[in-house]
Every structure is written in C-alpha cells, then in structure tokens.
Amino acid sequence: MPKRQTGPDMKLYKYRQLFNSPNAEANHNTRKMVVEGEIHFSNPLHFNDPFDCATYASMEARDEDVLATLKQMSRERFPQISGADVDADARMRLMRYQKDSEFQREFEEQTLREHYASRGVFCLSETCTSVPMWAHYAAEHRGICLELDLQRLQDAFPPISKVEYPPTLGAYNAVDTLLCSDDVAVRKLVKSFLTKTPEWAYEQEWRIIADSVGPKNYPLKCLTAVILGCRTSNDCENIVRSWMRERKVPFALRRAVENVPEMRLDIVDVMPLTGSARE
C-alpha cells in the first residue's frame, strides 16, 4: 500500500477523463483545467449520492430566537413592508411553526436549500493510485490524474479540508446558523459539506469549499504533474504533451503502470520537472 502523505509537500489529485465519448475531441473542461488553470465548483444538490453533504435541520432553540430568525426572513422576503408588519408576519409564522408540523418541515427544508445553494464544492483525493477511482472518474484508466500542490491551493482557496465518513449524521441547527455572523455561519455550514458515508472512505477525499458555484481559476504553479492512466493511448499522451507546450508554467508528466504481482498501480516518470521548474 502507498504511504499516506503528510507535511508541506503534500499533493492532492483530480481524476479526469480525456474524452466525453469515443472518437470525440478532447474534453474541453479537462483541457481548461490543465492549460488555463480553470476548475469548476459544483452545487452539492446535483451530486449523485443522496447522502453526500447530507444533514438534517434542527430547530432546537428558544421561541425568541426562532422569532428573530423569522423576522429576518420576513424582511428579506418583503423589504417593502413596515416594521410592524414584519413583526406581525413573523409572529404569525411562529404560531404556525409551533403548531403546524408541515409548516415546520417546509421552513427547515427552505433553510437547507439556502444553505446548499450558497456554496460550491471542488473534490480532490489524497491518492493517485486508487484502482476504483481511475475506473470511475478517469474513463476506466484511459484518462488522466492531475497532481496539485496542497500548500499552494490553500494559499489560493482557503479552506481546503478532509472529508469525514461518520456512521451517523449530526443535525444542522438552522436557527443558530442564521443568527450567527457570516464567518461563524460558514464554519458551522462547512462541516456538512465535508460529510460522506463510510462506503466512500477509500477515496481519501479533500474538498475546497467556495462561496459560489461555477468556474474559478487556480494559480498555474499549483499543478505539478499530470499522470497518464495505465490504459492511456499514445494519442492521448500526445494530446497532453500538446497541452504542456501551450502552458506557461511547466508540469511533470508521469504514467500509472500495472504492478501485477502486487495488484497495485505504480507511478513512473515520463518527463520529470527540472530543478528550475520546481521553484
């Protein structure tokens, strides 16, 4: 088994396919990640695992705290109404919340929708030798894996954190989070974005949590190597080499090779970085 990474030189990895389908042109987004340093932050609501980033709302709070939250929501929803009307609307909602389980469920679901809609997620792995991940995310070992420097990524995109794989979920307290300052709220919310079921623990995943969904650019020096899959063709290797020539900042080229007796993947250099290019 490969050793777990530690220390300031730690790398993280992004598995990618080179083609959307056979005989197609090279994947546009993969090229942009390599050549232009553009990565895409996804909305967790679109993840294929229903338990990814899962949490459930808890409204354990004093009535006056719930009322304050409801007033805040009324002001945001109806900015044109008076303070007295805001107060009346919030108190009416509080009474409904106390007595109407359906209203309570809708309130909690709305809070969670707002929670998910406000953040984007970019997923990475601590390992570049996972046979299942090459199979699932890199076109059955015919794609590539990007090696990125953790420290440089942290300088560009704080926070970057490890995913946890707990056996059960903790509750997300909607009231506490809405009443917090933005910084405190973000820290409370981030934990749910770093939660998956134990079945996914083999991915050794890390995540960058951003304040929006969509493309963002990372500094080109963050990419230190591109690793070719063990089934990547020579034509695909030539595509990656052409991307190297387009790019302003160099990276190493490596390949995953099958170690059959040990039933594992080994990573070998194809074109290492020179000493000056490592700076």
Side-chain angles (χ1 to χ4, degrees):
M1 292 287 291
K3 294 180 180 179
R4 292 181 69 88
Q5 302 181 75
T6 57
D9 296 327
M10 181 174 175
K11 310 298 183 188
L12 296 178
Y13 301 93
K14 184 68 175 178
Y15 295 83
R16 292 291 301 176
Q17 60 184 22
L18 267 176
F19 302 100
N20 294 324
S21 61
N23 303 318
E25 292 184 359
N27 184 287
H28 179 67
N29 291 331
T30 300
R31 180 196 168 278
K32 293 188 82 169
M33 287 181 66
V34 174
V35 177
E36 301 175 22
E38 182 180 288
I39 56 179
H40 186 86
F41 287 79
S42 302
N43 188 322
L45 292 174
H46 299 154
F47 289 171
N48 57 10
D49 176 5
F51 298 106
D52 196 335
C53 300
T55 187
Y56 61 95
S58 167
M59 295 298 296
E60 295 178 0
R62 297 173 301 171
D63 284 350
E64 55 264 37
D65 292 332
V66 177
L67 181 62
T69 302
L70 291 167
K71 286 181 180 180
Q72 177 181 327
M73 294 177 69
S74 295
R75 290 190 196 97
E76 292 172 354
R77 234 182 238 169
F78 310 110
Q80 72 280 7
I81 66 176
S82 68
D85 288 338
V86 165
D87 185 72
D89 179 71
R91 290 185 182 280
M92 178 191 71
R93 290 172 181 272
L94 176 61
M95 290 180 62
R96 284 188 63 193
Y97 178 81
Q98 292 168 330
K99 298 177 181 180
D100 186 339
S101 59
E102 180 65 18
F103 176 77
Q104 181 174 338
R105 184 186 63 79
E106 290 176 359
F107 178 82
E108 293 168 356
E109 286 183 354
Q110 177 190 337
T111 304
L112 289 177
R113 281 195 300 271
E114 293 172 354
H115 155 52
Y116 287 123
S118 65
R119 294 288 179 271
V121 177
F122 183 71
C123 305
L124 295 152
S125 174
E126 197 173 308
T127 177
C128 61
T129 57
S130 168
V131 173
M133 293 185 74
W134 275 104
H136 297 157
Y137 303 124
E140 301 175 357
H141 299 257
R142 294 179 176 86
I144 60 176
C145 183
L146 279 61
E147 178 186 273
L148 297 136
D149 183 88
L150 172 59
Q151 186 58 58
R152 291 170 179 172
L153 281 175
Q154 285 177 326
D155 292 340
F157 294 112
I160 304 176
S161 305
K162 294 182 70 168
V163 170
E164 298 179 2
Y165 306 93
T168 58
L169 288 175
Y172 161 78
N173 194 308
V175 173
D176 282 353
T177 301
L178 285 172
L179 293 177
C180 286
S181 70
D182 286 346
D183 289 345
V184 175
V186 167
R187 287 197 295 272
K188 285 176 175 284
L189 293 174
V190 157
K191 187 166 185 179
S192 70
F193 286 107
L194 300 171
T195 302
K196 297 180 75 170
T197 63
E199 288 89 341
W200 295 99
Y202 71 90
E203 292 191 340
Q204 300 177 47
E205 189 172 345
W206 290 60
R207 287 181 168 177
I208 307 174
I209 312 301
D211 56 4
S212 62
V213 172
K216 295 182 185 295
N217 284 92
Y218 67 85
L220 292 177
K221 65 181 180 179
C222 292
L223 179 65
T224 52
V226 170
I227 304 166
L228 305 168
C230 65
R231 294 176 175 170
T232 303
S233 68
N234 290 334
D235 288 342
C236 293
E237 179 177 335
N238 289 334
I239 288 172
V240 176
R241 286 177 178 270
S242 73
W243 291 349
M244 295 177 80
R245 292 190 292 270
E246 287 186 70
R247 206 169 187 271
K248 296 178 180 178
V249 179
F251 57 81
L253 186 63
R254 303 191 180 114
R255 181 179 284 275
V257 297
E258 298 166 69
N259 184 329
V260 177
E262 300 290 335
M263 295 186 68
R264 70 169 192 243
L265 295 172
D266 293 331
I267 308 298
V268 300
D269 280 330
V270 175
M271 187 183 295
L273 277 178
T274 62
S276 59
R278 293 176 185 272
E279 299 302 322

